[in-house]
Amino acid sequence: MTLLKVDNLTKNFGGLTAISHVDLEVKNNELVGLIGPNGAGKTTLFNLLTGVYAPSEGSITFNPNKEIHELGGKNTSQIGQLGIARTFQNIRLFKELSVLENVRIGMHSELGANLLQSFFRTKEYYRTEVEMTEKAMELLKIFNMEDKAKTKASNLPYGDQRKLEIVRALGTNPKLLFLDEPAAGMNARESHELTELIQQIHNEFDLAIVLIEHDMKVIMNISERIYVLEYGKKIAEGKPQDIQRNQHVIQAYLGGE
């Protein structure tokens, strides 16, 4: 079943068209790659799909639990509450907080007590606090980070900071996860570990993943389907082996014939 459907999506910034009439869809539990040369509009597309920008034209429909939602015009908080999470090109952790606190923050929209319960420190407040800690520790254990729960996020190695950002996103219990260049800045070993992590998430969690990545080894090894953007337009879609042979894609990346 289609989880996310994008029709004729366009975004203009003044006289510049950053995204032009893009159509795509993501099915339940699918792992989709999104690639393109620098400046192709990949992150802008993510920003449209997650409420950072409002579309100039087109529609974005999200269909979790057989309830259809139009995302155009919704803000990032509203979209997150529907079951969409993301990571960013530049790591955005709360670096002075611990690993555990970072994951718990991601859970507040899903499990947190309301304002009155928090203010008066009711039994419900303490119950949800305990529940969040337990669930956060369960997530950290899955990704072999439970021994780092009390470590300040800024003290983690770069690869673990990337991993923590993904774990925090999973703490929101999403149905759809957008990963924006998670292998950026990683060495070969870290990229290999990241590939295994994304495959693990895909296998163990009930969610779809859309991945922007410049590391072609990562994207070709784990994507079930791939979309390709160039200058804000979709120029190709298909299975990894088809994309590798697509002459339009080769020309977009390498230039010339």
Side-chain angles (χ1 to χ4, degrees):
M1 186 174 71
T2 298
L3 180 65
L4 180 78
K5 187 171 179 58
V6 176
D7 290 308
N8 197 41
L9 192 64
T10 299
K11 179 60 181 177
N12 300 315
F13 294 100
L16 171 68
T17 300
I19 295 293
S20 179
H21 307 291
V22 168
D23 299 325
L24 62 83
E25 65 178 58
V26 180
K27 300 184 185 302
N28 279 334
N29 307 112
E30 190 175 26
L31 206 165
V32 176
L34 178 63
I35 65 173
N38 288 330
K42 303 181 295 296
T43 295
T44 300
L45 179 58
F46 265 25
N47 286 338
L48 287 166
L49 300 179
T50 56
V52 177
Y53 301 143
S56 301
E57 297 178 39
S59 66
I60 309 164
T61 53
F62 184 54
N63 185 25
N65 306 316
K66 299 180 180 179
E67 297 176 1
I68 298 175
H69 301 271
E70 171 58 45
L71 300 187
K74 285 185 168 57
N75 61 37
T76 55
S77 176
Q78 292 169 324
I79 289 173
Q81 288 172 1
L82 289 175
I84 295 176
R86 73 172 292 182
T87 65
F88 295 84
Q89 282 183 7
N90 301 315
I91 296 173
R92 298 190 183 183
L93 296 173
F94 295 95
K95 295 199 173 181
E96 295 306 307
L97 298 182
S98 71
V99 167
L100 177 61
E101 288 167 331
N102 268 274
V103 180
R104 277 169 45 90
I105 284 171
M107 294 179 168
H108 269 281
S109 63
E110 183 75 13
L111 300 173
N114 64 37
L115 182 61
L116 283 176
Q117 291 166 343
S118 300
F119 183 79
F120 290 107
R121 294 294 196 269
T122 64
K123 287 183 179 179
E124 181 64 17
Y125 165 80
Y126 286 109
R127 186 192 67 78
T128 57
E129 289 294 300
V130 170
E131 186 177 355
M132 279 193 292
T133 297
E134 289 176 348
K135 291 200 171 188
M137 289 302 297
E138 287 173 9
L139 272 176
L140 290 172
K141 187 174 183 179
I142 290 172
F143 299 109
N144 300 315
M145 295 187 71
E146 71 273 22
D147 60 330
K148 299 173 182 174
K150 295 182 180 180
T151 302
K152 188 186 293 188
S154 59
N155 292 337
L156 291 176
Y158 181 81
D160 281 347
Q161 289 190 30
R162 282 283 182 192
K163 186 190 293 187
L164 176 57
E165 193 173 35
I166 296 173
V167 175
R168 184 180 62 185
L170 291 172
T172 67
N173 194 28
K175 287 292 183 183
L176 176 59
L177 176 61
F178 292 106
L179 302 176
D180 192 350
E181 295 193 37
M186 288 187 173
N187 58 37
R189 179 186 59 80
E190 290 170 333
S191 292
H192 177 71
E193 291 175 353
L194 175 76
T195 300
E196 292 183 337
L197 174 65
I198 295 171
Q199 288 175 325
Q200 180 184 357
I201 293 167
H202 188 229
N203 292 335
E204 294 187 17
F205 293 81
D206 181 25
L207 80 170
I209 298 173
V210 182
L211 169 70
I212 293 176
E213 189 49 68
H214 282 293
D215 188 325
M216 288 298 104
K217 190 172 183 180
V218 171
I219 206 90
M220 294 297 172
N221 281 343
I222 62 177
S223 299
E224 296 170 323
R225 288 190 303 118
I226 296 173
Y227 288 96
V228 187
L229 294 184
E230 183 186 27
Y231 299 119
K233 296 180 179 179
K234 184 180 73 176
I235 62 170
E237 64 177 277
K239 295 184 180 298
Q241 58 268 31
D242 298 327
I243 295 299
Q244 286 175 317
R245 295 191 295 262
N246 187 299
Q247 291 302 309
H248 196 169
V249 175
I250 294 169
Q251 184 173 344
Y253 269 95
L254 302 179
E257 295 296 329

